[in-house]
């Protein structure tokens, strides 16, 4: 399956190819899963191969439902006890700036990431409250990032246009579909009987919180496959989640502001506070690579600065400096908690000097509970700030 997918699309990395392969396999154990991972296939422009990825997924996942534009009412009625795998192309037309109000559909996709999150609606001629299931594995493809709440629940595949030397096989229904269907059927024959085993699986995860929820079905499949797949899946999980953290830090304005203010304080040495108008703002605006000189067309000012920092519980206060001058300023200790939470400093590098080995204390961590079956047929097995 991995080789077949790689023949028809050029994915951004080996880790992305591994993730897509495992996501396809995970769709076949969907009824046994607690979380239904989203696959966000996004690219900066058209012609990056997003729709071709969905073409391949349509022939390999369990019970595919392909749509270009749909309504929440349709999705509510299609998802049931045995939900399809939703494949939504041109998602930018649903969630883009000109798409209008699509909050119901976004709420459905967010709720469907976790089991037992029904949507209640008044339905039928008697207008009775009715619970509609929302749980379903879904892939969405579009230009530009999807809404943050969906991206946060997704394995993100950031497509790029193929370089001149990158070749793929043409996707033709007469021979591509039979080949992919044969692989799909082999996956189903292997995985469907293991759904009972999957329901009790508690794999060891390299990440935490929502990222662990999203990647757990893929890691479960990798552990079932054995061989190189468990290590390969966890390496892909770490690499791709870290990449999204970097993407988020680079694109989130408020996080960027926290990092830039930390840099100003570092340049000022041991200063306990920086005056907004005379110290912070001039340095921020002078950075040619930062967005602050053109913020709101006229540049970042003290009012904008206070508004951006308010959500972090940071506000300026009157501060008396050593020369007796008093001015509105931001104290360093106000930022300590926000820096630790949203843009922690990189961990210090390990010392180069040799250190005597310390004996291991305590028992090693226990392996995941339960016995995993053999592989598929034909394969190997911070402190709070001072107020």
């Amino acid at each position: 399956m991995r080789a077949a997918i790689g023949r028809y699309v050029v994915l951004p990395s080996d880790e992305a190819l591994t993730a897509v392969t495992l996501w396809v396999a995970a769709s076949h154990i969907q009824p046994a899963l607690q979380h239904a991972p989203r696959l966000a296939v996004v690219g900066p422009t058209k012609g990056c191969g997003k729709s071709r990825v969905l073409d391949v997924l349509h022939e390999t996942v369990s019970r595919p439902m392909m749509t270009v534009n749909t309504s929440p009412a349709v999705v509510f009625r299609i998802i049931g006890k045995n939900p399809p795998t939703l494949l939504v192309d041109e998602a930018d037309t649903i969630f883009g700036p000109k798409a209008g109000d699509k909050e119901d559909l976004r709420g459905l996709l967010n709720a469907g990431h976790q089991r037992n999150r029904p949507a209640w609606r008044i339905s039928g001629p008697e207008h009775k409250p009715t619970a509609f299931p929302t749980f379903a594995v879904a892939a969405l493809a579009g230009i530009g990032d999807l809404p943050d709440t969906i991206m946060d629940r997704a394995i993100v595949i950031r497509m790029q246009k193929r370089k001149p030397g990158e070749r793929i096989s043409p996707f033709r229904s007469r021979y591509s579909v039979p080949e992919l269907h044969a692989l799909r059927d082999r996956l189903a024959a292997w995985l469907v009987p293991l759904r009972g085993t999957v329901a009790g699986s508690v794999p060891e995860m390299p990440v935490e919180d929502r990222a662990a929820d999203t990647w757990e079905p893929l890691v479960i499949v990798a552990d079932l496959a054995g061989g190189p797949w468990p290590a390969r899946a966890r390496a892909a999980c770490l690499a791709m989640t870290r990449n999204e953290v970097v993407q988020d830090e680079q694109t989130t304005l408020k996080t960027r502001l926290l990092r830039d203010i930390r840099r100003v304080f570092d340049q000022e040495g041991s200063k306990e506070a920086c005056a907004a108008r005379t110290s912070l703002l001039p340095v921020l605006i002078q950075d040619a690579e930062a967005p602050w000189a053109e913020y709101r067309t006229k540049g970042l000012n003290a009012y904008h600065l206070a508004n951006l920092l308010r959500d972090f519980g940071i506000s300026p206060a009157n501060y008396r400096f050593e020369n007796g001058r008093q001015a509105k300023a931001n104290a360093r200790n106000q930022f300590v908690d926000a820096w630790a939470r949203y843009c922690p400093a990189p961990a210090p590098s390990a010392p180069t000097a040799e250190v005597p080995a310390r004996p291991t204390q305590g028992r090693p961590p226990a392996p995941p509970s339960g016995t995993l079956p053999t592989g598929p047929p034909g394969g190997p097995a911070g402190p709070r700030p001072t107020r």
Side-chain angles (χ1 to χ4, degrees):
M1 181 64 76
R2 189 178 192 274
I5 294 172
R7 280 200 298 274
Y8 293 113
V9 292
V10 176
L11 291 167
S13 65
D14 284 341
E15 291 83 3
L17 179 55
T18 294
V20 172
T21 306
L22 291 171
W23 186 88
V24 167
S27 72
H28 293 274
I29 56 172
Q30 180 172 209
L33 298 176
Q34 180 64 32
H35 293 88
R38 279 76 184 93
L39 191 71
V41 186
V42 298
T45 63
K46 62 182 181 180
C48 294
K50 302 178 296 295
S51 296
R52 180 52 45 84
V53 172
L54 291 193
D55 289 338
V56 175
L57 296 181
H58 185 267
E59 309 306 331
T60 53
V61 299
S62 173
R63 303 186 67 241
M65 173 196 161
M66 177 79 82
T67 180
V68 173
N69 197 345
T70 191
S71 69
V74 172
V75 179
F76 283 144
R77 284 158 178 80
I78 288 176
I79 297 175
K81 291 183 179 180
N82 188 19
T85 301
L86 300 176
L87 305 174
V88 183
D89 201 2
E90 299 185 18
D92 48 294
T93 65
I94 299 175
F95 300 111
K98 299 180 181 179
D101 185 11
K102 295 288 185 179
E103 289 305 308
D104 280 353
L105 186 56
R106 174 159 52 169
L108 186 156
L109 290 168
N110 290 341
H113 179 257
Q114 185 171 343
R115 191 175 290 281
N116 299 325
R117 295 292 187 274
W120 287 84
R121 293 290 185 274
I122 299 297
S123 180
E126 297 181 0
H127 303 286
K128 289 184 176 181
T130 304
F132 290 92
T134 62
F135 184 78
V137 173
L140 302 95
I143 296 175
D145 282 6
L146 303 173
D148 288 345
T149 53
I150 293 177
M151 296 288 277
D152 190 42
R153 294 165 169 81
I155 295 155
V156 182
I157 310 295
R158 297 189 175 275
M159 302 292 289
Q160 298 290 337
K161 280 199 170 186
R162 285 189 291 124
K163 292 184 289 189
E166 292 178 325
R167 302 293 181 188
I168 58 172
S169 299
F171 187 88
R172 298 290 182 267
S173 297
R174 62 182 179 274
Y175 55 81
S176 302
V177 170
E179 174 202 10
L180 294 175
H181 280 187
L183 289 168
R184 177 201 63 192
D185 294 344
R186 289 176 62 195
L187 270 181
W190 165 48
L191 287 169
V192 170
L194 298 178
R195 288 176 178 174
T197 302
V198 168
S201 296
V202 184
E204 182 180 352
M205 297 298 298
V207 292
E208 298 177 339
D209 302 325
R210 184 164 286 154
D213 297 339
T214 300
W215 277 87
E216 184 181 73
L218 281 66
V219 173
I220 287 174
V221 171
D223 286 347
L224 292 174
W229 283 100
R232 185 183 286 172
R234 289 168 172 83
C237 173
L238 277 175
M240 295 178 68
T241 52
R242 285 172 178 169
N243 182 65
E244 287 309 301
V245 169
V246 172
Q247 290 282 342
D248 185 62
E249 286 183 355
Q250 291 176 345
T251 56
T252 301
L253 201 64
K254 293 179 181 179
T255 305
R256 171 66 187 265
L257 180 60
L258 287 175
R259 297 203 324 270
D260 287 354
I261 290 176
R262 181 171 59 189
R263 177 174 51 83
V264 175
F265 271 102
D266 290 344
Q267 291 173 353
E268 296 287 342
S270 58
K271 263 193 175 182
E272 294 182 0
C274 284
R277 295 182 184 277
T278 59
S279 295
L280 275 180
L281 286 170
V283 178
L284 292 172
I285 291 173
Q286 287 170 8
D287 187 350
E289 297 182 358
W292 312 122
E294 299 177 356
Y295 183 76
R296 299 286 179 92
T297 68
K298 293 185 179 181
L300 188 71
N301 59 33
Y303 176 77
H304 299 147
L305 181 66
N307 271 345
L308 289 171
L309 295 175
R310 185 174 293 119
D311 287 344
F312 301 112
I314 299 171
S315 58
N318 289 326
Y319 187 87
R320 186 178 297 278
F321 292 88
E322 293 180 356
N323 58 7
R325 182 176 61 90
Q326 190 171 353
K328 288 281 187 181
N330 292 100
R332 177 193 289 269
N333 61 14
Q334 285 185 300
F335 291 91
V336 173
D337 186 69
W339 286 337
R341 293 179 185 276
Y342 296 97
C343 52
S349 57
T352 55
E354 291 188 2
V355 179
R358 297 177 60 186
T360 304
Q361 297 182 2
R363 298 178 62 185
S369 60
T371 301
L372 294 176
T374 56
R384 298 183 61 83
T386 304
R387 296 292 180 185

